[in-house]
Structure formats: structure tokens, C-alpha cells
Amino acid sequence: MNISEKLGFTHIEWVDDHLVVLDQRKLPLSEEYFHIRTIDGAFYAIQNLVVRGAPLIGITAAYALCLIENHEDRDSFFVTCETLKSARPTAVNLSWAVNRMINAYESHVGDENLERILLDEAAKIHREDSKMCESIGLHGNKIIPDECRILTHCNAGALATGGIGTALGVIYTAFFSGKMIEVWVDETRPVFQGARLTAWELARAGVPHTLISDNASGKLMSENRINLVIVGADRVAKNLDFANKIGTYNLAVLARYHNIPFYCAAPTSTFDLNCPDGGSIEIENRSADEIRNVFGARISLPATPAYNPAFDITPNSLLTGMITENGILTP
Amino acid sequence: MNISEKLGFTHIEWVDDHLVVLDQRKLPLSEEYFHIRTIDGAFYAIQNLVVRGAPLIGITAAYALCLIENHEDRDSFFVTCETLKSARPTAVNLSWAVNRMINAYESHVGDENLERILLDEAAKIHREDSKMCESIGLHGNKIIPDECRILTHCNAGALATGGIGTALGVIYTAFFSGKMIEVWVDETRPVFQGARLTAWELARAGVPHTLISDNASGKLMSENRINLVIVGADRVAKNLDFANKIGTYNLAVLARYHNIPFYCAAPTSTFDLNCPDGGSIEIENRSADEIRNVFGARISLPATPAYNPAFDITPNSLLTGMITENGILTP
């Protein structure tokens, strides 16, 4: 049984003529599937976090391009591609995957099997991502001690990818190879991906874990209760600066202050060689209501001004290593 | 009109024969008053955060000791004192205020005006705290530039004291002296005192402010959008290490990394000279449900293990200065 099977859930699958994804907005209390049958449905799912995580967004967009009714209409196909790319600005895998689909389209336009060819390409992107996660897990496992208390941020797990995850892929590989692993899961305000998704995944996989508020990370580090930090990435610049969920930079600074190794795990599909450094990565600002309200409960006055950047940039100077499917890169 | 009057709300007042406090659990959406008529009511109010903030907890406990029916029963009085002290372990003002009441009691036990004397002492503690806040504001204002973007954590405002607040007391004094002040309010998980209380207070006072998630502080610092950090304290050790709301230590480390001045504002009633350093301060652990749930909404599975320390310790080495009513202390 490989690691993927040990996780015990399927969260993205092409079924007959459409895409079925686990609705991540409903986790962890409800496991509902969301059926994507149209481009509009895919756009909605990406923008509204039904699916999230840079690699998974890319895979979803690739499959979505198999839902176009009239593939022969070249103009329409390209308009759709641009629309999908705009659903979320920071994750580079989205345009990377759409560009792969465009290449397949260009090579086979006019082919009577075009639909089949596009679906094969999307499935290939999915399969390759799963393989990249496995390789990241194997490379990353080399730097995990036999006993290790690991802090992770947000969700860079199976739920963020087409495989076992990136940061969590390393954790699963270490855990299932018999190492004593304990995971500190920070809740990851404002959207609580840590509390809702990472804690759910780890529970499913049977990995010991403890949930904390984002504010408790410093205290734990000062008490030597965190041996290593590992996070994912939404976009990696050429110099290994990277964008990841807001709060990642805080952890990088805290880890440096406490001399704790700080790793990022990301497939090369998350690298954007057009970005020389972090300063050129666009950061998505999301609605102020994600800060003012929590699942319908108002925690501040409706008129309170709020600032809600979804990501921050961690400079390569704070990075111990970037774990990729090809090995571990150092700045 | 003094600053206190400019704030436009009253949050603790002895009315006729009992204590009336603004119910801070209900803020900011509802402004309801909670009537404390018994010791049990006071204990409940302190433990359940109807009132919070180290100085305000002390004042509440002092007034509460005026609610005892039979003041002549010395044993009962002392048992009540110990009970009140145990309501929350970290804020030293609680035992400080109760000890002041004990001294007044011991000096006048048997006096037919004992009830009146105790009430006078409680009112005096309240009045002195208000004066300490004013002095802290005046001393602190000296280190605030004419234009300043200030980050504060949790609520060290009027709502935490018997006056204009400690950290916010400095901010109010600077603002009403005509300085260009903008405040970054971090929401302060898990109990959201920043979002619920500080943003409400600042809106009432007309001070420009923006709410952020706790995770966004690092990004703002790295972009030079925070000029100064000022927080309160729940207990200050002899060497100026101090306990404050969880996440304070994270900000102290981040501020140091970015060379941003980091101040704590606290009256000397928050100092515990019995604690030589931060290591001897007891840290309250609160219910894991504060992490697992948010205002009734479950954000993680009910079985998810969670760790919820309410405070952390900031060492004096990360402190630029401790602003007290007597002036600014440096480590």
C-alpha cells in the first residue's frame, strides 16, 4: 500500500464526463463533493476556495479545459484559458497548467481526438503532480530526524495537490517510514486552512498532531518544542524567494531567531523563472470581510477598516532549503 | 475635556449597592451591562472574560469584596479573598488589589464603618489606576514621533483598566495632542480582543485604525509600514521580562528583526517583584475549545488535540522600554 492509499480519501477525480472535487469549504465537519461540469463552475470553485493549494488549482484548471463544449473554436478556447488564469493571481501553477493545456491544444488542433488528447494531458498533469509529491517526500525525508516535532502552516497537504502533498508529503513519508513525528498545526487565520484541512488530513492519516493559534508559535519555539518548520509555496522566484500563505514570513523570522531549520517544499511547477525575486510576485488581497467576520459571526464592527493580504514573501535568506522533486536546493 | 471623557463610554462603575461593568464578551456588536451583585457573580465575570485586562480585573475584585454580606466574619472574608485570587492566575493585579483590600480590612476590622471603608479603598484603587493610565500616557507620548504608525496587540485600552488604558493610553495621549497616529490592530486569536475590543475603542475615540490578522504583522514590518509596537502586560517580573497575551513574544522577535522599537506599557501594580524573571511567571492554559471553535462555529474536529496558552513571556532583551506611571524603564 503506498502512502496515497494510506491517507484514505480522494479529493479530485475525473468521473465519466466531469470533474468531482472534495468541497474544502465544508471540511472538516462535512465531507461533500462538488461537481464541476462547466468552466463557470471551475472558475467559481477556484475563486471561492472549493479547491485551493497551488498544485491542485492547476490540476483543476487543466481538467476544466476538457469541459469546453466546442473545442474547435480556437478563440473561445483562448479566452477561456485567460479567464481561468485570472481566477487567482498568486499561484503560478494555475497559468503553468493552463499553458501546458494550450501547448497540447496547439499541437493537436483539428485532430478529431482533440477532446481525448486534452483529457489525457490533464490526467498527465495530475499524475505527474502526484509523482512530484512522492519525490518531494523522499527527498525531504532525508532531513527529518528520527524524532521530530514539526510545525507546519496552512495546508500544503494532499488537499493542496494531486498527490500526498508537499510539506505534508514530507511529513507523511517520514511518519510512514517509522519515524517518531509530532506535528504542530497552526490554525492559519483568516481562512483556517490549518485547523480545517491540515488537522483533518493528519487525523485521517493517523499522524499525531496538536492544533495551536498562530500566536502560539513563538512560545513553542522559545521552549524548544519545535525542531523544524516546513511549509509549502504558492510561487517560487528564481532566487528562491517565495510567496506562501500570510504568516509564513513571521514563522521564517521566528525560526531564524531560534536557530530552527526552516524548509519550503514545492514542485518545480510552482517555480516562476520570470520572477527574479520575491518583489516581483503579485500578492492577492482578499475581502476585508474574511477578517471582520468568522464563518458568519461578526468579530468586529461592519465599518472597521481591515487589510487582508492572502500571502507574504519569505526571502531566500531565511530559507534552510527548498525541497523539490529533484532534490533540495539551497539559496 | 480630558481624554477619558473623549472616549465616550463608561465600562466600570459602582452604582448604589453593586458593581456594573460593560460585558466585554458582547462587544463590539452589542453594548450590554453586566450587574455584579455577589462574589459568585464577580468570580464568574473575571473567569469568563466579562471583564479582562490585568488592571480591570484587580479593580473588579476590589469592588467585589464590598459585596460580602457579613463583613465581620473574618475567616469568611479571607476565604473569599483567596477564591477571587484564583479566578485567573497570570494577572498579578488581581492579587495586588485583593491584598490592598486585605490591608484595609485588617486596619479597620471591628470598625462600624467597615463597609464604607472597604468601598472607599476599592474606589481609591480605581481612581489611582485611572491616574496611572494618565501618567503612562504622558510619559509614553514622549517616545511617539509626530507621525507614527503603531501596531498594538490584544487590548491594553480603557477596557483593560480603570482609566484610558496603558498601551492605548499612550496612543490616545499622542493622538489627542495632535500627532498623526495610525494604529494597526491585530485581531488577537483566540479570543479576538483586538478585533472585538481595541477596534471598537479606537472607533469610539475617532483614532484611525486598520484591523489585520495576527499573521499579517511580519509582512507589514518588512514593508516599513509599522514604526513602533506597543503592548500591555499581565505581569512584569523584577528584571522587566513580562507576560502578556499569547503572540506578544512573536511581535517582539519580529520587531527586533526589523529594528522597530518595541515598548510595553504597564502600571507598577502589574509588577511582581517576587518574580525574579519571566521563567517564574505562571502561564494560564485555557480550554482547547477556544481554539477548536470560534463563536460556536467549529473550525476543527471535536477530537482534534489543541494547546491554548493564554500568555507568553517576552524577555527584557527584546524590550526597548517599559512605560510606567513613574517614567520609562530600560532593561
Side-chain angles (χ1 to χ4, degrees):
Chain A
M1 198 190 253
N2 63 27
I3 294 175
S4 213
E5 289 161 338
K6 288 179 184 162
L7 300 187
F9 60 88
T10 302
H11 64 290
I12 180 162
E13 193 172 19
W14 184 267
V15 180
D16 298 333
D17 59 350
H18 72 288
L19 184 62
V20 183
V21 294
L22 189 56
D23 189 340
Q24 299 195 24
R25 298 170 306 176
K26 307 291 178 65
L27 287 175
L29 299 175
S30 170
E31 297 173 12
E32 295 175 32
Y33 285 87
F34 186 93
H35 293 256
I36 300 176
R37 298 174 191 277
T38 63
I39 294 292
D40 284 353
F43 187 87
Y44 176 90
I46 292 170
Q47 193 159 59
N48 292 283
L49 313 184
V50 176
V51 290
R52 27 65 54 202
L56 188 64
I57 288 172
I59 296 163
T60 302
Y63 278 125
L65 287 168
C66 307
L67 295 167
I68 297 181
E69 286 191 20
N70 182 2
H71 280 102
E72 286 70 37
D73 183 343
R74 197 170 176 283
D75 288 350
S76 160
F77 183 83
F78 277 82
V79 167
T80 301
C81 286
E82 291 311 308
T83 304
L84 278 176
K85 281 183 187 177
S86 74
R88 291 194 69 191
T90 303
V92 72
N93 305 60
L94 178 53
S95 44
W96 174 87
V98 170
N99 288 341
R100 285 248 328 229
M101 295 299 283
I102 289 174
N103 287 343
Y105 184 87
E106 294 279 37
S107 309
H108 298 88
V109 68
D111 193 316
E112 61 178 21
N113 294 320
L114 184 57
E115 269 188 67
R116 187 73 247 161
I117 287 161
L118 288 177
L119 190 55
D120 285 351
E121 184 66 10
K124 197 170 162 218
I125 290 172
H126 185 176
R127 207 163 50 240
E128 284 175 10
D129 185 69
S130 175
K131 287 231 166 90
M132 283 193 283
C133 290
E134 278 177 38
S135 296
I136 286 171
L138 292 170
H139 285 296
N141 190 20
K142 294 174 200 159
I143 53 94
I144 306 288
D146 286 344
E147 288 185 28
C148 196
R149 289 176 293 188
I150 304 173
L151 172 66
T152 189
H153 186 58
C154 194
N155 176 268
L159 290 171
T161 66
I164 60 170
T166 53
L168 291 196
V170 174
I171 288 171
Y172 290 136
T173 307
F175 177 75
F176 287 115
S177 75
K179 294 181 181 175
M180 299 272 287
I181 304 294
E182 283 178 41
V183 184
W184 295 103
V185 178
D186 71 17
E187 60 183 11
T188 319
R189 272 286 286 161
V191 186
F192 292 110
Q193 290 92 342
R196 295 191 302 109
L197 309 179
T198 296
W200 179 85
E201 267 200 56
L202 293 173
R204 276 298 187 104
V207 182
H209 61 283
T210 303
L211 183 64
I212 56 171
S213 76
D214 301 309
N215 281 325
S217 52
K219 178 176 158 65
L220 288 171
M221 287 190 194
S222 74
E223 294 169 351
N224 296 316
R225 296 165 75 185
I226 295 176
N227 305 124
L228 190 139
V229 181
I230 181 166
V231 299
D234 288 79
R235 189 179 294 224
V236 181
K238 199 171 178 179
N239 72 344
L240 300 190
D241 290 354
F242 68 98
N244 192 44
K245 181 59 53 198
I246 190 77
T248 300
Y249 173 68
N250 300 34
L251 294 179
V253 170
L254 284 161
R256 170 57 52 90
Y257 186 80
H258 295 91
N259 290 315
I260 296 170
F262 180 89
Y263 286 91
C264 176
T268 52
S269 57
T270 303
F271 283 55
D272 183 354
L273 302 183
N274 292 321
C275 286
D277 55 41
S280 47
I281 299 176
E282 182 189 352
I283 298 294
E284 175 184 8
N285 282 311
R286 295 182 62 85
S287 163
D289 279 333
E290 281 184 358
I291 303 290
R292 285 191 290 243
N293 306 331
V294 179
F295 299 118
R298 280 209 184 125
I299 57 161
S300 62
L301 297 169
T304 298
Y307 170 59
N308 185 19
F311 305 95
D312 58 23
I313 304 291
T314 298
N316 61 22
S317 59
L318 294 174
L319 188 67
T320 309
M322 175 71 68
I323 306 168
T324 76
E325 74 275 20
N326 301 321
I328 300 177
L329 306 177
T330 47
Chain B
M1 195 190 256
N2 64 26
I3 294 175
S4 214
E5 288 160 342
K6 289 178 181 159
L7 300 187
F9 59 89
T10 302
H11 64 290
I12 180 162
E13 195 173 16
W14 182 268
V15 180
D16 299 332
D17 59 350
H18 71 290
L19 185 62
V20 183
V21 295
L22 189 56
D23 189 340
Q24 299 196 25
R25 299 170 304 175
K26 305 291 177 67
L27 287 176
L29 299 176
S30 172
E31 297 174 13
E32 295 175 32
Y33 285 87
F34 186 93
H35 293 256
I36 299 178
R37 298 176 191 277
T38 62
I39 294 292
D40 284 353
F43 187 87
Y44 176 91
I46 293 170
Q47 191 158 61
N48 292 283
L49 314 183
V50 176
V51 291
R52 26 66 53 203
L56 188 64
I57 288 172
I59 296 163
T60 303
Y63 279 125
L65 287 168
C66 307
L67 296 166
I68 296 182
E69 286 190 23
N70 183 3
H71 280 101
E72 287 70 38
D73 183 343
R74 195 170 177 284
D75 288 350
S76 161
F77 184 83
F78 277 82
V79 167
T80 302
C81 287
E82 292 310 308
T83 303
L84 277 176
K85 282 185 188 177
S86 74
R88 291 193 69 191
T90 305
V92 73
N93 305 59
L94 178 52
S95 43
W96 173 87
V98 170
N99 288 341
R100 285 247 327 229
M101 295 298 284
I102 288 174
N103 287 342
Y105 184 88
E106 295 276 37
S107 308
H108 297 88
V109 68
D111 192 317
E112 62 179 21
N113 294 318
L114 184 59
E115 267 188 70
R116 185 74 248 162
I117 287 162
L118 289 177
L119 189 55
D120 285 349
E121 183 66 11
K124 197 171 163 218
I125 290 172
H126 185 177
R127 207 163 51 242
E128 285 175 8
D129 186 68
S130 176
K131 289 231 165 92
M132 283 194 281
C133 289
E134 278 177 38
S135 297
I136 286 171
L138 292 170
H139 285 295
N141 190 20
K142 295 174 199 159
I143 54 94
I144 306 289
D146 286 344
E147 290 186 27
C148 196
R149 291 177 292 188
I150 303 173
L151 172 66
T152 189
H153 185 58
C154 195
N155 176 269
L159 290 171
T161 66
I164 60 170
T166 53
L168 291 195
V170 174
I171 288 172
Y172 291 135
T173 307
F175 177 75
F176 288 115
S177 75
K179 294 181 181 176
M180 300 271 287
I181 303 294
E182 284 178 40
V183 184
W184 295 103
V185 179
D186 71 17
E187 60 183 11
T188 318
R189 274 287 283 161
V191 186
F192 291 110
Q193 290 93 339
R196 295 190 303 108
L197 308 178
T198 297
W200 179 85
E201 267 200 57
L202 293 173
R204 276 296 187 103
V207 182
H209 61 282
T210 304
L211 183 64
I212 57 171
S213 75
D214 300 309
N215 282 324
S217 52
K219 176 175 160 66
L220 288 171
M221 288 191 192
S222 73
E223 294 169 351
N224 296 314
R225 297 165 75 185
I226 295 175
N227 306 123
L228 190 138
V229 180
I230 182 166
V231 299
D234 289 78
R235 187 180 294 224
V236 181
K238 198 170 179 180
N239 71 344
L240 301 189
D241 292 352
F242 67 99
N244 191 45
K245 182 58 52 196
I246 190 77
T248 300
Y249 174 68
N250 299 35
L251 294 178
V253 170
L254 284 161
R256 169 59 51 92
Y257 186 80
H258 295 90
N259 289 314
I260 296 170
F262 180 90
Y263 287 91
C264 177
T268 50
S269 58
T270 304
F271 283 54
D272 184 353
L273 302 183
N274 292 322
C275 286
D277 55 39
S280 47
I281 299 176
E282 182 189 353
I283 298 295
E284 175 184 8
N285 283 311
R286 294 184 61 85
S287 163
D289 279 331
E290 281 185 356
I291 303 289
R292 286 190 290 241
N293 305 331
V294 180
F295 298 120
R298 280 209 184 126
I299 57 163
S300 62
L301 297 170
T304 298
Y307 170 60
N308 185 19
F311 305 94
D312 57 23
I313 304 291
T314 298
N316 63 20
S317 59
L318 294 174
L319 188 68
T320 309
M322 175 71 67
I323 306 167
T324 76
E325 74 276 18
N326 300 323
I328 301 177
L329 307 177
T330 46

